[in-house]
Every structure is written in C-alpha cells, then in structure tokens.
Amino acid sequence: MLSRIRFLWAHHRAALGAFVALVCFACYFAFKAIAAAVYWNDPRHQDQPLAGWMTPRYVAQSYEIPPDVLGPALFLDPSQQPRRLRLEDIAAANGVTLDTLQQRVAEATAAFRANLDD
C-alpha cells in the first residue's frame, strides 16, 4: 500500500493531491450533513420554545415550516434580503414580547400543518 502511494507521489503528484483534497472535502461535507441530521432529529430541538438568541432560520428548521410561512409571523418583509436577526431584536423592533412572537409562530405553524394534512 505504501509503495503505491510512493509511486503515485513520484509520478502523479497533482492527481494524488487533487484526490486527497477531494476526499477531505467529501469528508467535511459528509460530517456536516450527518451532524445536522442528528441535531435536527433530536426531539429536544423540534418545536423549541422561542428564545431571544434564535434566528428566523433556526426557528424555521425547528418548527419545520418554510420561510414564507414564518416570515409574516415574525413581521419580516419578504422583499428584504435575509439577515441574521435575533428574535429579541425582531421583538424589540416591533414592540412585542417573545411570548407574542411565540403565539404568532404557533398559529402559523398550526395553520401550515393543517394545510399539509388536507
């Protein structure tokens, strides 16, 4: 095995380097995909109560609802570019509490899930 690697290094250095780089990239993205799957399939991370540190993207993934359903519940303008806003900043900008946002998200989620069942 080591002799093959030495041969490839001596005669096909660029190809071996490209192969090693591609294997590293593949392992990196495989790890990220597996880590995300494990994280989001944990029941503790599904339908979490809202906290100030959460972003709209995190809430959308936790509640498994699309951004176009979640956006109006969080007072987000669909014409604006997505930004990494925290829920406490969204609540403060709109003069509401996190409890109010929680109610709005719960209502939007219930309506979305009811439409899925139809």
Side-chain angles (χ1 to χ4, degrees), residues 14-117:
L16 181 63
F19 177 74
V20 170
L22 288 174
V23 168
C24 289
F25 282 125
C27 289
Y28 171 77
F29 288 113
F31 175 78
K32 285 188 62 96
I34 291 168
V38 168
Y39 184 85
W40 290 113
N41 283 314
D42 184 352
R44 294 177 295 170
H45 298 121
Q46 296 173 358
D47 294 342
Q48 280 186 300
L50 299 185
W53 60 266
M54 293 179 177
T55 62
R57 180 177 179 204
Y58 186 93
V59 175
Q61 289 186 346
S62 178
Y63 284 80
E64 296 183 53
I65 57 176
D68 60 323
V69 172
L70 182 63
L74 295 179
F75 304 103
L76 297 177
D77 184 9
S79 64
Q80 289 183 338
Q81 289 287 354
R83 297 179 291 154
R84 292 184 181 223
L85 296 172
R86 296 180 309 164
L87 292 185
E88 64 186 10
D89 297 335
I90 293 171
N94 292 290
V96 297
T97 64
L98 280 176
D99 291 333
T100 304
L101 286 181
Q102 178 72 54
Q103 289 174 332
R104 291 174 60 95
V105 169
E107 291 168 2
T109 302
F112 176 74
R113 290 178 181 167
N115 287 339
L116 284 180
D117 294 337

